[in-house]
Amino acid sequence: MAEELSFPTGIGTSDADHIRLLGQDLAADLMGKVGFGELAFWLVAGRRPSPGETRVFEAVLVALADHGFTPTAIAARVTYASAPEALQGALAAGLLGGGSRFLGVTEDCGKFLAAVLHELSPRPESDADWDAVALEAVRSQRAAGRFVPGLGHPVHKVQDPRTPVLIAIAEEEGLRGPHLRLFEAVGRVHPAVLGRTLPLNGAGVCGAALADLGLPVEMLRGFALLARAAGLLGHLAEERRTNLGLEIYKTVDRNAKYTPVTD
């Protein structure tokens, strides 16, 4: 007898009459009863989030949904202008631009904070103790010639408006955990090391908040991309009306100047 094939999954299956997702009947148990943000958390974490966790998680998704004419948005618009029959290509073009300078900071910051916390036992309790840990972490980053993820922003030079709001929401829900505490401490102590004051950026605080929710830090960029997909879809809907992508192309093309490459 041939061996029966088996492909185990905890995500979902379907047959002629039913769709199962996370052990639930999709049509009967989830549709109209579970929000998309709650479902996204559940799919990755393998557990249903509490109402407070859902609030913090969805606040992160909102914070990362759009930031104006970033390279990711421009890439999506210009791609759509070139191939309007391929919406998926335009959306993918924008998502592929999510990296170390845009969107990727969420994961980079979460990994940085998690690595520092991994070495701590016991965890600090007072702000002064957190500051001491953060000071050593910032010094180590600088000594290694690395940036501190989550510090600074190309637009928000004094304060990223998302940062205090997300910290406040986490505090209200009892979810201001060690990653956020450490990130806040980095914000307090880094001027003593760097010689200047930089804001804690929104992508970084999102990474800290997601890590405090217990989500795997290696997947935090995925949540940033999930959020930005909604923003990019909005840009593409607007692009259908305005054809701004073509104007961007024309502006660059008409102002291109040949400059010989010299040694």
Side-chain angles (χ1 to χ4, degrees):
M1 178 181 293
E3 182 180 351
E4 183 178 350
L5 295 178
S6 176
F7 302 95
T9 176
I11 304 300
T13 59
S14 63
D15 56 33
D17 301 310
H18 301 90
I19 302 171
R20 303 288 297 178
L21 183 61
L22 298 167
Q24 311 290 314
D25 185 297
L26 177 70
D29 302 328
L30 299 179
M31 292 176 62
K33 300 174 183 178
V34 174
F36 181 71
E38 182 180 1
L39 181 64
F41 185 109
W42 195 349
L43 281 164
V44 176
R47 64 177 180 84
R48 190 168 186 171
S50 68
E53 288 175 323
T54 300
R55 183 181 179 221
V56 172
F57 181 71
E58 292 189 342
V60 167
L61 296 182
V62 171
L64 296 174
D66 183 65
H67 211 114
F69 282 106
T70 59
T72 58
I74 293 172
R77 283 180 179 261
V78 173
T79 302
Y80 189 72
S82 178
E85 73 283 359
L87 179 71
Q88 73 278 13
L91 188 59
L95 294 177
L96 288 171
S100 59
R101 295 186 178 180
F102 291 87
L103 296 177
V105 177
T106 298
E107 181 174 306
D108 295 342
C109 187
K111 284 183 175 179
F112 165 69
L113 298 171
V116 174
L117 290 170
H118 181 70
E119 303 297 325
L120 290 183
S121 181
R123 296 281 172 83
E125 295 184 3
S126 68
D127 283 349
D129 290 339
W130 279 112
D131 287 357
V133 172
L135 188 61
E136 180 60 30
V138 174
R139 283 174 174 163
S140 296
Q141 286 291 103
R142 177 156 187 172
R146 296 189 295 262
F147 291 110
V148 179
L151 274 183
H153 195 279
V155 177
H156 309 299
K157 300 298 185 181
V158 177
Q159 182 182 69
D160 190 315
R162 299 169 293 182
T163 299
V165 174
L166 188 54
I167 292 172
I169 291 172
E171 176 70 24
E172 290 169 7
E173 299 299 338
L175 294 168
R176 182 169 157 253
H179 296 85
L180 279 170
R181 295 289 300 276
L182 178 57
F183 191 54
E184 292 175 73
V186 168
R188 293 191 294 267
V189 305
H190 76 272
V193 180
L194 304 184
R196 56 178 176 153
T197 300
L198 298 170
L200 295 175
N201 68 51
V205 76
C206 286
L210 291 172
D212 274 343
L213 292 177
L215 296 165
V217 293
E218 297 82 7
M219 298 195 69
L220 299 189
R221 188 174 301 188
F223 296 113
L225 294 173
L226 174 67
R228 190 53 57 92
L232 291 174
L233 197 56
H235 276 278
L236 296 175
E238 185 176 76
E239 185 63 30
R240 294 181 67 247
R241 302 189 298 270
T242 64
N243 293 316
L244 192 57
L246 284 175
E247 293 304 314
I248 294 172
Y249 149 68
K250 290 177 182 178
T251 299
V252 175
D253 183 66
R254 302 301 182 267
N255 291 280
K257 293 180 174 59
Y258 172 73
T259 304
V261 177
T262 59
D263 292 334

